Amino acid sequence: MRAGDLLRKLDQRLLPRLAATVTRLGNGPGQTPLLGWVAMLSCTAVLATAVLATGGPPVPDRTVGEVTRVGVVEGDSIPRYEATAAADLAALAGSLGDGTYALVSLSEYLTPERLAAVVGDVGIAVVFGRVPLPQRQTEIVRIPAQRVPEDVTAGMIKLAERKEREAADYRARATALGGGGPEERELRGLYLSGAQVAAAEAAAFRAGCACLYALVVRAEPAKLRGVAARSGVRVVDPAPEVRRLERTVFTPPLPEQRDVVRPPVDRTGADRGRADGGGPLAGTATGDGFVTVAVAALAGTQGVDMDAVHLGRHRRHG
């Protein structure tokens, strides 16, 4: 019987009797102390019954504040990470109940349709993506998904809408900025740079770009080893210690990272030459649906989720 049902029955049976008793005691002279004791004992009995019905007091969640990290961080050796993950996968026990989570990194950026071939019949939880604009840092995004490509495509449309709002906000800030001094020109260039990068990301996501490079799956060890053997899969990193995805940080390597984990190259207008006195250069549409964006100096890391890139150590690298 659930605690709520039990307490309801206790209310129905005990409260009328308790009320009658209290009424009788209240009518007698000099019974105030006794009345208080009766009420306290009755409340104690009800609470004790409720605790017994629910199996005891609530057990605190001992995992609060704990974060599991799976993947790589800046400075890690990619070959070492791949070798360690492969060894862990080979040593994984043959039966783990309903399976284990694993981080699957891909050797190239894929479209949602091509990702479906990699997933196959394996359960999926999260997909990671990034618009690989040439020589620009862009935001690493996490797309919850259970169906591929449907959920991934829908998630990319939502990302495109957010990026379009970001681009509009950057342009509005640049327009509203007054003054023509060096600092104002610098800040205006920064805003316009952010707008251009965000607009390029929006266009790529809306077109269903080849932007997906990793995913989190859950499967039995044998299936995970099958995934590792599929074309386009770079490494499968099993994580049997993961119990709750919301308390896990996944940081897969980017496809272009081959030796050591480094942030993507981010060349600004200062490196490429400047146009119109230092303003953003025009974007040029390319055949693969991306927009090549050259921006002014000080573009920095606009549009980059650095928390997603620079996170704590992987569990195996201490």
Side-chain angles (χ1 to χ4, degrees):
M1 179 184 297
R2 294 181 301 179
D5 296 333
L6 179 59
L7 289 174
R8 195 175 300 109
K9 288 182 178 296
L10 286 172
D11 287 345
Q12 294 170 351
R13 294 184 181 183
L14 295 181
L15 286 181
R17 299 178 185 179
L18 177 61
T21 302
V22 170
T23 300
R24 289 197 303 272
L25 291 172
N27 291 332
Q31 299 300 321
T32 303
L34 179 59
L35 180 61
W37 280 105
V38 170
M40 184 183 70
L41 290 174
S42 299
C43 292
T44 301
V46 171
L47 290 174
T49 304
V51 168
L52 290 174
T54 56
V59 179
D61 188 346
R62 301 182 184 277
T63 65
V64 171
E66 295 182 1
V67 176
T68 303
R69 302 181 187 274
V70 182
V72 296
V73 295
E74 186 174 353
D76 279 352
S77 165
I78 296 290
R80 186 181 302 121
Y81 167 70
E82 292 178 349
T84 303
D88 286 352
L89 181 61
L92 201 60
S95 177
L96 291 174
D98 58 348
T100 182
Y101 286 111
L103 176 61
V104 180
S105 300
L106 307 177
S107 57
E108 61 179 328
Y109 293 98
L110 299 181
T111 63
E113 290 73 21
R114 290 185 61 194
L115 182 66
V118 173
V119 173
D121 60 348
V122 175
I124 183 172
V126 178
V127 174
F128 293 90
R130 165 184 175 269
V131 178
L133 296 178
Q135 300 184 327
R136 291 313 313 265
Q137 290 188 355
T138 52
E139 182 182 1
I140 291 174
V141 297
R142 174 175 169 146
I143 306 173
Q146 293 183 333
R147 300 173 304 159
V148 179
E150 294 88 349
D151 291 349
V152 181
T153 301
M156 292 172 74
I157 294 298
K158 291 181 179 179
L159 286 168
E161 293 170 350
R162 174 166 69 82
K163 288 297 178 180
E164 287 165 352
R165 291 192 298 270
E166 287 181 9
D169 180 66
Y170 278 130
R171 286 191 291 266
R173 290 173 182 268
T175 301
L177 191 63
E183 291 183 359
E184 287 79 9
R185 289 199 301 270
E186 243 179 11
L187 188 55
R188 187 177 294 109
L190 182 62
Y191 284 146
L192 292 175
S193 167
Q196 232 174 356
V197 172
E201 290 176 293
F205 282 131
R206 193 171 289 282
C209 60
C211 299
L212 311 171
Y213 67 95
L215 58 155
V216 175
V217 302
R218 186 177 181 88
E220 288 287 336
K223 280 194 173 183
L224 292 178
R225 285 188 273 270
V227 172
R230 291 176 185 170
S231 175
V233 174
R234 182 178 188 178
V235 63
V236 174
D237 186 2
E241 70 277 21
V242 172
R243 294 292 180 268
R244 301 178 63 171
L245 290 180
E246 71 273 16
R247 292 184 184 167
T248 306
V249 176
F250 295 97
T251 52
L254 299 175
E256 61 268 30
Q257 294 171 332
R258 293 294 175 181
D259 50 358
V260 176
V261 178
R262 303 183 183 89
V265 173
D266 189 43
R267 298 197 185 280
T268 65
D271 301 312
R272 301 179 181 178
R274 310 180 71 164
D276 300 327
L281 301 179
T284 304
T286 59
D288 58 4
F290 294 127
V291 179
T292 303
V293 182
V295 296
L298 301 175
T301 57
Q302 284 297 308
V304 180
D305 179 2
M306 294 307 294
D307 287 340
V309 179
H310 304 292
L311 288 166
R313 286 286 170 185
H314 184 273
R315 61 191 188 283
R316 282 193 293 267
H317 300 309

